[in-house]
Amino acid sequence: MVKTRPPVGQMSSVVAPAKDSNTMDPKEVELILVKEQNGVQFTNSALVSPSQINTENGERETWSKKIDFLLSVIGFAVDLANVWRFPYLCYKNGGGAFLVPYMFFMVIAGMPLFYMELALGQFNREGAAGVWKICPIFKGVGYTVILISLYVGFFYNVIIAWALQYLFSSFTSELPWIHCNNSWNSPNCSETKYSNFSDYINDTYKVTPAAEYFERGVLHVHESQGIHDLGLPRWKLTSCLFVVIVFLYFSLWKGVKTSGKVVWITATMPYVVLIALLLRGVTLPGAIDGIKAYLSVDFLRLCEASVWIDAATQICFSLGVGFGVLIAFSSYNKFTNNCYRDAIITTSVNSLTSFFSGFVIFSFLGYMAQKHNVPIGDVAKDGPGLIFIIYPEAIATLPLSSVWSVIFFIMLLTLGIDSAMGGMESVITGLIDEFKFLRRHRELFTLVIVLCTFFISLSCVTNGGIYVFTLLDHFAAGTSILFGVLIEAIGIAWFYGVGRFSDDIEKMIGKRPGLYWRLCWKFVSPCFLLFVVVVSIVTYRSPKYGNYTFPEWANVIGWLIAISSMAMVPLYAIYKFSSLRGSFREKIAYAITPEKEYELIEHGEIPQFTLQHWLNV
């Protein structure tokens, strides 16, 4: 670069082919810097990898090590639902037979969608909104998934706060959920051990100490009459929530360089604890009966539609597609990273973890069933009740119960933390990539996001906070997340085109996706997602917590939360279309053509206006 004095004028950069397109190594492009000084242009060029092209304020950050990325993705995808949801669904839906529809949907939809998001983020090196430069009119779906991740953070961090309070309460010689002589216990609390099942079911008002500790000692739900009567935040839960928020901030404030180190602990610790709990669980009386119940095969259940619906929805939610997290994480990969192999590894680990955790859970459930002399079905639950009532009650009966309780809740903390980190990173990366000026102030912007999350989450740690929690859990990422993934799949496979997308992957890993993957992206996955979206609407039920039914105005608020994220798709499409100039045909062309191909429109070459584009696989 010729430079004789400080710059006067403008400098711009252009990316151009380094050599003939038929022979050029896809890993190299030519970066040409053009500087104008007093009417004279000076240029300089160099061959660089696309991953080395500078962003507005320097090169894009990348993971320090490949394992940091894998652990981050595994840590996000493997979360609390793997422990409290999958084992129960497997037991409820025919035991081992449930694995048939689960693995079927995993192969035709789960893995292809997971692979698609990893490749999308890695090639475009942007967050959930920025990647839609490939088809600008679909950028609204990027804002949809960012909003959903933000909404989930409002209540997901509260689960971690619950686990943290349980952890602090475990550092005692006697766990506080063993007896009924505590200040929060009611007259209905009973430590009675029944000798037969009929006595158990006839005692309508029996409440275990573990159940009362969670609902009265932690949540204080008995001090609220409903969602209209929240009260003030409880100081213990508020303190725990604040600790969680501080930990999240210092894990995320410097980007993947810091979060990539945290996951070495948070993503691996759950496996150590699960193994330890399994070794302890299988030695308990009744454990084998529990495991047999978990694995019992009833193929006749496969004739029921509900079994297939449960398998389909579990696939959608367990892998974490549609939250923008996979796009954000993979955008920090090196351009030539093998995202195909990563997709196979991480989805396999996720499924195996879900299956393995079932052995741990049902070994203890079998023990509890034998201890109370009741069928396993009466102690088998899913959701928070399993990990905050049933499991703590089982642990409390063991020798060295405090030690086992500490170990268990450390596992819950680590399962929750890295998933929460993933959701936050989706929001942060998605917005700083879209609004470039935020990149210079990542630490401050991260602080703003986590503080906003904290203050809104305070509504979930009040006396009636469990009602707010239930409402958010029901509406924030239900139908809306399925809708988001459906639009995402349509935008990539049909409007951007499977052919183009496959070319992008070939440039990264040197190998074009096989016909199977292309057919799944084009036809199978969108049809699968459409089916799940329709089912989620048809089978909709209003949220409930125990015997409490939410008022109509609360359901309206819930639907407004869900619609607010989904509405980003049509609202942005309208905005984009109205902001473009030209004829109707030109507006359509610019709205659905990748930004890098705008020059084709000027020459009248618009692939999306040809039948070949829509039929190409």
Side-chain angles (χ1 to χ4, degrees):
M1 176 77 67
V2 178
K3 181 177 180 180
T4 59
R5 55 183 176 179
V8 178
Q10 298 179 338
M11 176 179 288
S12 61
S13 63
V14 179
V15 179
K19 42 188 168 179
D20 186 271
S21 60
N22 293 326
T23 59
M24 187 184 81
D25 184 345
K27 298 179 182 179
E28 293 182 340
V29 295
E30 185 174 10
L31 180 65
I32 304 175
L33 298 179
V34 182
K35 175 185 173 185
E36 183 175 326
Q37 181 175 313
N38 296 333
V40 180
Q41 288 188 340
F42 302 89
T43 64
N44 184 40
S45 64
L47 290 178
V48 298
S49 163
S51 62
Q52 295 173 316
I53 297 174
N54 287 355
T55 60
E56 181 180 288
N57 297 300
E59 292 184 358
R60 186 173 184 82
E61 184 181 17
T62 58
W63 298 96
S64 298
K65 297 178 181 177
K66 172 65 175 289
I67 191 65
D68 293 356
F69 165 70
L70 287 176
L71 288 176
S72 295
V73 174
I74 291 172
F76 166 72
V78 178
D79 70 346
L80 295 167
N82 291 76
V83 175
W84 79 32
R85 181 69 174 158
F86 177 85
Y88 173 77
L89 285 180
C90 196
Y91 164 76
K92 186 184 89 168
N93 291 302
F98 180 71
L99 297 177
V100 175
Y102 179 82
M103 292 307 300
F104 174 71
F105 288 132
M106 171 65 77
V107 171
I108 69 165
M111 285 184 173
L113 292 170
F114 200 95
Y115 181 17
M116 180 185 73
E117 287 205 349
L118 290 186
L120 180 66
Q122 182 173 306
F123 184 83
N124 294 284
R125 302 183 67 73
E126 299 249 12
V131 295
W132 288 101
K133 57 192 175 186
I134 65 173
C135 190
I137 201 170
F138 278 85
K139 182 178 281 189
V141 74
Y143 292 117
T144 293
V145 300
I146 289 172
L147 264 181
I148 291 173
S149 290
L150 188 63
Y151 292 162
V152 170
F154 295 157
F155 69 89
Y156 194 85
N157 295 333
V158 175
I159 304 175
I160 308 174
W162 294 343
L164 189 59
Q165 180 166 340
Y166 267 83
L167 177 64
F168 290 149
S169 300
S170 299
F171 289 100
T172 178
S173 58
E174 185 176 76
L175 295 174
W177 53 85
I178 293 179
H179 300 298
C180 291
N181 57 354
N182 302 287
S183 60
W184 57 80
N185 290 126
S186 72
N188 293 331
C189 183
S190 173
E191 303 171 33
T192 303
K193 306 293 189 298
Y194 292 92
S195 58
N196 60 71
F197 182 54
S198 61
D199 290 341
Y200 178 85
I201 61 174
N202 289 331
D203 194 343
T204 307
Y205 299 101
K206 176 185 182 298
V207 182
T208 64
E212 287 215 336
Y213 177 75
F214 179 59
E215 296 193 340
R216 300 172 65 92
V218 176
L219 303 182
H220 291 266
V221 68
H222 63 290
E223 298 181 32
S224 171
Q225 296 179 359
I227 195 170
H228 63 282
D229 178 29
L230 296 182
L232 296 175
R234 307 297 305 189
W235 73 268
K236 287 185 179 180
L237 277 180
T238 301
S239 302
C240 292
L241 181 62
F242 182 74
V243 171
V244 172
I245 291 297
V246 169
F247 184 87
L248 286 174
Y249 174 71
F250 285 107
S251 298
L252 295 168
W253 71 322
K254 293 293 185 181
V256 296
K257 296 296 184 185
T258 52
S259 63
K261 299 297 180 289
V262 174
V263 293
W264 279 79
I265 296 175
T266 59
T268 56
M269 179 64 73
Y271 294 96
V272 176
V273 176
L274 280 173
I275 292 172
L277 288 173
L278 178 63
L279 294 176
R280 182 65 183 96
V282 295
T283 64
L284 298 173
I288 301 302
D289 293 333
I291 293 175
K292 286 180 179 178
Y294 172 54
L295 295 178
S296 62
V297 178
D298 182 5
F299 284 110
L300 292 178
R301 295 297 306 278
L302 297 181
C303 299
E304 301 176 17
S306 61
V307 175
W308 293 82
I309 292 172
D310 281 345
T313 52
Q314 177 65 14
I315 286 294
C316 288
F317 293 115
S318 68
L319 292 178
V321 293
F323 288 93
V325 179
L326 303 178
I327 295 174
F329 280 164
S330 62
S331 73
Y332 296 109
N333 276 334
K334 294 179 180 178
F335 186 76
T336 56
N337 175 66
N338 192 335
C339 54
Y340 168 71
R341 182 177 57 198
D342 294 344
I344 300 299
I345 291 174
T346 49
T347 52
S348 299
V349 169
N350 178 276
S351 298
L352 289 173
T353 303
S354 297
F355 184 62
F356 176 71
S357 66
F359 290 91
V360 180
I361 296 300
F362 274 85
S363 63
F364 277 85
L365 291 182
Y367 163 64
M368 287 299 294
Q370 179 168 313
K371 187 175 183 64
H372 289 292
N373 195 29
V374 298
I376 290 178
D378 286 284
V379 293
K381 296 182 179 180
D382 66 338
L386 173 63
I387 60 175
F388 290 110
I389 297 177
I390 302 298
Y391 221 84
E393 183 181 355
I395 289 174
T397 63
L398 302 177
L400 300 175
S401 58
S402 294
V403 175
W404 286 109
S405 182
V406 168
I407 292 173
F408 177 71
F409 286 108
I410 285 177
M411 179 191 73
L412 294 189
L413 283 173
T414 53
L415 279 172
I417 281 290
D418 42 19
S419 296
M421 285 168 53
M424 288 285 191
E425 188 60 58
S426 170
V427 176
I428 295 167
T429 296
L431 293 178
I432 66 175
D433 282 346
E434 188 62 18
F435 304 100
K436 306 296 184 185
F437 69 92
L438 293 174
R439 191 171 298 162
R440 298 190 297 270
H441 311 288
R442 179 183 169 105
E443 293 89 346
L444 180 60
F445 181 62
T446 302
L447 180 63
V448 170
I449 293 295
V450 298
L451 284 180
C452 287
T453 301
F454 171 73
F455 286 120
I456 295 177
S457 297
L458 288 178
S459 63
C460 294
V461 294
T462 58
N463 294 335
I466 189 63
Y467 302 120
V468 180
F469 173 91
T470 303
L471 196 71
L472 287 171
D473 183 34
H474 195 81
F475 288 103
T479 301
S480 56
I481 193 71
L482 300 173
F483 171 80
V485 183
L486 172 62
I487 300 300
E488 183 180 286
I490 293 172
I492 293 173
W494 287 89
F495 284 82
Y496 183 58
V498 167
R500 274 201 193 100
F501 190 57
S502 299
D503 291 340
D504 294 345
I505 294 175
E506 186 175 13
K507 291 175 184 176
M508 291 188 294
I509 67 177
K511 184 180 179 180
R512 189 177 178 83
L515 180 62
Y516 170 77
W517 297 102
R518 302 199 302 274
L519 287 173
C520 284
W521 289 328
K522 186 87 171 184
F523 302 109
V524 181
S525 295
C527 290
F528 165 81
L529 290 166
L530 181 61
F531 162 74
V532 179
V533 168
V534 171
V535 166
S536 71
I537 296 173
V538 172
T539 60
Y540 165 78
R541 291 184 179 87
S542 299
K544 286 187 177 182
Y545 180 75
N547 295 324
Y548 178 77
T549 301
F550 285 79
E552 283 303 315
W553 63 264
N555 285 298
V556 170
I557 291 176
W559 274 112
L560 288 176
I561 292 172
I563 293 172
S564 67
S565 58
M566 293 188 285
M568 291 295 104
V569 174
L571 288 178
Y572 186 86
I574 294 171
Y575 159 75
K576 183 66 179 178
F577 189 79
S578 61
S579 65
L580 294 171
R581 297 180 180 179
S583 65
F584 180 80
R585 185 177 187 275
E586 288 173 333
K587 285 186 175 184
I588 292 290
Y590 280 107
I592 64 177
T593 300
E595 293 178 1
K596 64 181 180 180
E597 297 180 6
Y598 274 0
E599 68 276 5
L600 296 178
I601 300 176
E602 299 172 4
H603 295 89
E605 301 174 12
I606 308 170
Q608 288 90 336
F609 287 0
T610 63
L611 184 62
Q612 181 182 0
H613 170 85
W614 300 99
L615 297 180
N616 184 36
V617 176

